[in-house]
């Protein structure tokens, strides 16, 4: 199943970077941005609010206007760019205050929907009903394994480059993934699957 293989391939760098982000974000907030305990808890809450808004409104809204595979690749690039912007965020924070950190963290949470929503949609489209249980297990195994590796790699890259630059470099990795993968055969299969699904829905109507 080339389309499912492509989803698993795309999931590897994404969840790897998620592991790096989870490792470095606390260190960035506490040691680089020197966020107080009070603001740290509120920033974590703002990120959770972003996740909820993205999943309930932002992601589904874009799914109505873009193909799922296009949104998946675009979302990967957007999150990569937003992570790379943590470098100027350090300067912006010094100029404007802690509000910039709240905005960055809220949006990094909201942008998760740009990947999670189309990924779930594509998984249902490309996986036959009798294989979805095993396919879901493969998806979960791939995600968990890559995230664990990302946590370890995040600690190493933070030691070598610092947590701020480690986060930005991870974002650049996602941008590179978003540029390269659309040229693969799996992306074309996803595109064909997306068109086929919409044709079936239109015929049903």
């Amino acid at each position: 199943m080339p389309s499912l293989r492509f989803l698993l391939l795309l999931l590897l760098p994404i969840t790897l970077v998620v592991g790096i982000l989870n490792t470095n974000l606390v260190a960035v907030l506490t040691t680089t941005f020197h966020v107080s305990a009070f603001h740290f808890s509120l920033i974590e809450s703002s990120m959770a609010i972003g996740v909820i808004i993205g999943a309930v409104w932002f992601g589904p809204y874009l799914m109505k206007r873009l193909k799922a595979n296009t949104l998946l690749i675009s979302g990967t690039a957007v999150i990569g760019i937003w992570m790379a912007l943590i470098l100027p965020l350090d300067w912006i924070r010094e100029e404007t205050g802690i509000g910039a950190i709240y905005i960055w963290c809220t949006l990094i949470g909201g942008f998760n929907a740009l990947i999670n929503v189309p990924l779930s949609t594509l998984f249902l489209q490309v996986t036959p009903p009798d294989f979805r249980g095993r396919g879901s297990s493969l998806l979960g195994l791939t995600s968990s394994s890559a995230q664990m590796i990302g946590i370890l790699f995040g600690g190493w890259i933070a030691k070598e480059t610092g947590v701020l630059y480690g986060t930005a470099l991870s974002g650049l990795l996602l941008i590179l993934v978003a540029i390269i993968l659309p040229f693969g055969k799996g992306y074309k299969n996803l595109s064909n699957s997306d068109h086929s699904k919409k044709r079936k829905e239109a015929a049903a109507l």
Side-chain angles (χ1 to χ4, degrees):
M1 298 173 60
S3 299
L4 184 57
R5 284 199 302 267
F6 175 80
L7 285 179
L8 295 175
L9 178 65
L10 179 59
L11 199 61
L12 284 172
I14 292 174
T15 50
L16 181 72
V17 170
V18 167
I20 295 174
L21 181 63
N22 290 339
T23 303
N24 291 348
L25 187 57
V26 174
V28 168
L29 293 175
T30 56
T31 64
T32 302
F33 295 158
H34 304 291
V35 172
S36 66
F38 172 75
H39 282 292
F40 178 80
S41 60
L42 291 179
I43 288 172
E44 291 282 296
S45 299
S46 71
M47 190 179 302
I49 291 172
V51 171
I52 294 171
I53 293 174
V56 173
W57 178 75
F58 193 44
Y61 174 82
L62 290 176
M63 274 293 296
K64 295 177 181 178
R65 286 156 178 78
L66 296 172
K67 294 188 296 182
N69 61 326
T70 301
L71 182 58
L72 181 60
I73 293 297
S74 301
T76 302
V78 167
I79 292 179
I81 293 170
W82 199 247
M83 289 179 65
L85 288 177
I86 199 170
L87 291 179
L89 177 65
D90 190 27
W91 174 81
I92 294 171
R93 171 191 60 88
E94 294 178 353
E95 296 294 322
T96 63
I98 199 170
I101 300 177
Y102 276 94
I103 294 172
W104 188 87
C105 288
T106 301
L107 289 177
I108 200 72
F111 288 154
N112 281 327
L114 300 181
I115 291 178
N116 293 332
V117 172
L119 181 66
S120 300
T121 300
L122 287 170
F123 175 76
L124 292 175
Q125 288 179 0
V126 305
T127 309
D130 58 348
F131 189 73
R132 282 176 187 164
R134 287 170 288 172
S136 180
S137 298
L138 285 174
L139 211 63
L141 176 63
T142 302
S143 176
S144 300
S145 301
Q147 191 166 350
M148 285 171 34
I149 295 171
I151 291 172
L152 296 173
F153 186 66
W156 176 82
I157 197 172
K159 178 182 177 182
E160 297 296 324
T161 66
V163 289
L164 200 65
Y165 285 95
T167 303
L169 287 173
S170 303
L172 293 177
L173 171 63
L174 281 188
I175 297 172
L176 185 63
V177 168
I179 292 173
I180 293 176
L181 285 183
F183 294 99
K185 182 180 178 181
Y187 183 81
K188 297 176 182 177
N189 289 332
L190 284 182
S191 180
N192 294 334
S193 174
D194 204 13
H195 284 307
S196 175
K197 180 73 173 179
K198 289 182 178 180
R199 283 196 300 267
K200 290 179 180 178
E201 290 176 350
L205 294 175

